[in-house]
Amino acid sequence: VSTAEAPGPATRMLLYLNEDSFSDERLAEQVKQARKDKLKVVMAHENDLDRGGCLFAKFFETTPQELIEGGLYSDLARSCFSGVHREVSLMLLAKELGATRQGASAGWTASPAAFLSAVKGITCCSV
């Protein structure tokens, strides 16, 4: 039995961009649906080559033109760096996804540690 509240309706979509993004039509359809549903699309641009990182310019070649012309990339993507910068990159992404501090000495409403452990394992194009 769980005492946790049921999650509310989605407010954001995490679009994880790496070398495999938009390799099939499913991701484009998911993004179109999220935008139709008025979800904020939060983009995470993978820069770590071991995780499929690539130059952002690649996405202008692989993303369906309809999404580009519709303004998908008008908002900045959060860069996900490797090495010592990885944790900070993912913390900024967590903040963009809605994690907030409850107070100066309090924890986060969405635990960055839990978020980091979940995001570190991302290997696919979308979440």
Side-chain angles (χ1 to χ4, degrees):
V1 176
S2 173
T3 58
E5 291 182 32
T11 59
R12 295 168 182 86
M13 174 189 185
L14 173 59
L15 177 57
Y16 179 71
L17 298 168
N18 71 2
E19 65 184 0
D20 297 322
S21 297
F22 298 106
S23 59
D24 66 38
E25 296 177 15
R26 292 180 300 161
L27 181 58
E29 292 304 317
Q30 292 170 349
V31 173
K32 287 177 195 175
Q33 186 62 51
R35 296 183 84 198
K36 181 180 175 184
D37 293 343
K38 307 286 188 217
L39 297 180
K40 178 178 180 169
V41 177
V42 177
M43 295 177 288
H45 171 217
E46 186 60 73
N47 284 269
D48 185 338
L49 296 178
D50 292 335
R51 291 182 168 98
C54 60
L55 295 175
F56 196 84
K58 177 181 172 94
F59 305 124
F60 289 99
E61 299 169 7
T62 59
T63 304
Q65 196 62 34
E66 174 185 359
L67 290 173
I68 294 171
E69 290 173 0
L72 177 62
Y73 297 129
S74 62
D75 288 331
L76 294 177
R78 293 285 177 203
S79 293
C80 297
F81 296 106
S82 59
V84 298
H85 304 292
R86 186 77 178 175
E87 187 170 345
V88 172
S89 298
L90 297 179
M91 294 287 278
L92 291 171
L93 181 58
K95 185 176 177 182
E96 183 78 17
L97 288 167
T100 58
R101 284 199 178 267
Q102 295 175 334
S105 62
W108 289 72
T109 58
S111 165
F115 177 81
L116 291 173
S117 66
V119 174
K120 285 178 183 176
I122 292 176
T123 57
C124 64
C125 301
S126 64
V127 175

